[in-house]
Amino acid sequence: LTVPKFMKNNIKYITVLVLFALAGATTFFYRVERHTQANAVNLSAIPTVIGEWRMVKQDTSLGAKEEKFLDDVLIRTYQRPDGKTVMLAIAYGADQRKKFSVHLPEVCYKASGCTVEPTGYSTINSPLLTLKQLLAINPAGWVEAIQYWIVLGGNVINSDLDWKLKYAYYGAFGADAGGLLVRISTLVENGNNKIDYEVQKAFISDLYQELTPELKKLLFGTYSR
């Protein structure tokens, strides 16, 4: 089949236009991502009183290993009047070219000797958020219910695939947008982790209500409500 000359010229012309459009789009998104890096953060500014929860323990120290790729970390334990406790752990890295993925809870808990079981995803309406759920079983026998989310370049990551694609993108273009991981966990009582997940969701909603607009954007992403 012979393609007419005018069609060949049109195909070449369209191909050139597509290539220019792709190049322009890549440059645009690259510039946008380069400017989404968050300013210096102070996680300690998160309130110590969140609804009926009161902080009873805090750790903001960075180990020698963490200092290589994290800029701030906050680990707090909050307690309710009835004695129930929730642990809040936040890790922030301003430059996602530094292998922030090593701090995924699955990796950390397995490294500490726990068996980790993914239990799916859940959602919250206020703030609008998707949470990844895990169970960590310690060799000593206790079970920890975990929910976490990741904010990368100001946007919440909604799935493992989304995380992998975004991480590959940042690696390919060398973008330095900030990334933040927020983990909420509780020790499971009476073997019912579903109750613990609901307790955690209530804590997250209370946390959101107590934050300044700047901290809301940092912890819950640009489009949280």
Side-chain angles (χ1 to χ4, degrees), residues 43-143:
L43 296 179
S44 293
I46 293 172
T48 57
V49 177
I50 297 173
E52 62 179 340
W53 301 87
R54 302 293 185 273
M55 185 191 78
V56 294
K57 186 178 180 181
Q58 174 175 281
D59 184 4
T60 58
S61 59
L62 279 169
K65 182 179 179 181
E66 286 78 11
E67 285 181 344
K68 295 179 181 179
F69 53 88
L70 291 177
D71 296 277
D72 202 0
V73 65
L74 178 71
I75 300 175
R76 281 183 180 171
T77 300
Y78 288 83
Q79 188 173 54
R80 241 174 15 190
D82 64 359
K84 181 67 174 179
T85 59
V86 167
M87 188 166 76
L88 168 68
I90 306 173
Y92 172 78
D95 188 346
Q96 291 312 294
R97 294 169 297 183
K98 295 181 179 180
K99 299 183 178 179
F100 184 67
S101 60
V102 297
H103 256 256
L104 290 177
E106 294 93 324
V107 177
C108 294
Y109 277 86
K110 286 180 181 178
S112 66
C114 293
T115 300
V116 179
E117 297 179 359
T119 55
Y121 289 86
S122 63
T123 57
I124 299 178
N125 291 324
S126 181
L128 187 60
L129 190 65
T130 297
L131 306 168
K132 186 170 184 179
Q133 299 179 327
L134 306 170
L135 283 180
I137 300 93
N138 185 273
W142 53 257
V143 179

